[in-house]
């Protein structure tokens, strides 16, 4: 009779729906996905004091970082493959934000002397030498892809922060954007690969 056929059809459809739902809900167990990654963590350095602001050279062979040894805060560099660290600075100023030049020959970093407490951007040879101040009232330097300019944050006392660019010797400084209610502060600057844009 038609009612019996309808009941059988309903049972078959219900069974198919249950089987489909079970298969859908258990699809990950039936065919496990391969593990993502497969990378390996490697300890590059350790320090008894604070170590922060790591920066990797473009070729991935060198790492620069800031470390505190007692009361001193200095800039260090070492090879990723191992070996001794090289202390690049040795003074009472606070340092931060190291950034390798694209060719790996220089490191820009921010420095703040105890008196007067104004930030400045300095450049130092990667394997040691004299730190040369190039931009006053600046912090967070980031080299342009061609190595000819910095993007940085201008931090003048009593003025809003500003996103700025300058030539690598500190000349030709231009303000790109001043802090306001929409952008009250700037951080984590990144150049586009062609050097035409700065993200923040």
């Amino acid at each position: 009779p038609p009612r019996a056929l309808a009941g059988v059809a309903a049972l078959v459809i219900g069974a198919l729906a249950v089987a489909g739902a079970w298969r859908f809900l258990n699809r990950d167990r039936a065919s496990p996905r391969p593990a993502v990654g497969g990378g390996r963590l490697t300890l590059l350095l350790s320090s008894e004091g604070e170590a922060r602001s790591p920066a990797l050279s473009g070729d991935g062979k060198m790492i620069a970082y800031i470390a505190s040894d007692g009361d001193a805060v200095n800039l260090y560099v070492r090879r990723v493959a191992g070996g001794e660290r090289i202390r690049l600075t040795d003074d009472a100023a606070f340092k931060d934000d190291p950034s390798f030049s694209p060719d790996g020959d220089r490191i820009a970093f921010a420095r703040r002397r105890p008196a007067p407490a104004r930030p400045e951007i300095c450049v130092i040879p990667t394997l040691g030498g004299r730190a040369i101040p190039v931009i006053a009232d600046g912090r967070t330097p980031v080299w342009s892809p061609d190595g000819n300019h910095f993007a940085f944050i201008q931090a003048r006392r009593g003025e809003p922060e500003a996103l700025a660019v300058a030539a690598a010797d500190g000349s030709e400084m231009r303000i790109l954007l001043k802090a306001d209610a929409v952008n009250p502060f700037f951080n984590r600057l990144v150049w586009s690969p062609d050097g035409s844009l700065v993200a923040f």
Side-chain angles (χ1 to χ4, degrees):
R3 289 182 74 179
L5 286 174
V8 170
L11 284 174
V12 170
I13 291 172
L16 288 173
V18 169
W22 182 87
R23 184 170 180 178
F24 176 79
L25 293 173
N26 291 287
R27 67 189 183 283
D28 289 337
R29 280 183 250 172
S31 57
R33 296 179 186 157
V36 176
R40 187 176 54 130
L41 291 177
T42 303
L43 178 65
L44 296 182
L45 59 95
S46 63
S47 173
E48 291 183 7
E50 179 188 13
R52 68 175 190 285
S53 303
L56 200 61
S57 61
D59 61 7
K61 294 182 177 179
M62 302 285 285
I63 185 168
Y65 62 99
I66 306 297
S68 59
D69 299 308
D71 293 334
V73 177
N74 283 299
L75 172 64
Y76 292 86
V77 68
R78 61 161 287 179
R79 291 179 51 80
V80 169
E84 294 297 316
R85 67 181 186 171
I86 301 170
R87 185 174 63 198
L88 298 181
T89 61
D90 187 14
D91 57 60
F94 180 84
K95 291 98 180 167
D96 208 358
D97 303 319
S99 175
F100 280 95
S101 61
D103 62 10
D105 289 344
R106 296 167 290 166
I107 298 172
F109 66 98
R111 175 171 74 180
R112 190 174 66 242
R113 295 179 182 276
R118 293 175 57 191
E120 62 184 356
I121 294 171
C122 301
V123 175
I124 193 167
T126 297
L127 296 179
R130 189 167 65 91
I132 301 171
V134 292
I135 298 171
D137 301 312
R139 62 178 180 83
T140 318
V142 180
W143 295 86
S144 62
D146 63 8
N148 293 328
H149 294 84
F150 294 117
F152 66 98
I153 296 168
Q154 186 184 66
R156 287 185 174 160
R157 185 170 297 194
E159 296 182 16
E161 286 187 350
L163 174 60
V165 295
D169 64 1
S171 64
E172 304 172 25
M173 193 189 78
R174 290 183 297 126
I175 301 295
L176 301 182
L177 188 62
K178 285 196 173 184
D180 56 22
V182 177
N183 301 295
F185 60 89
F186 304 107
N187 209 349
R188 301 185 187 276
L189 312 181
V190 181
W191 288 86
S192 62
D194 64 0
S196 65
L197 299 170
V198 178
F200 63 93

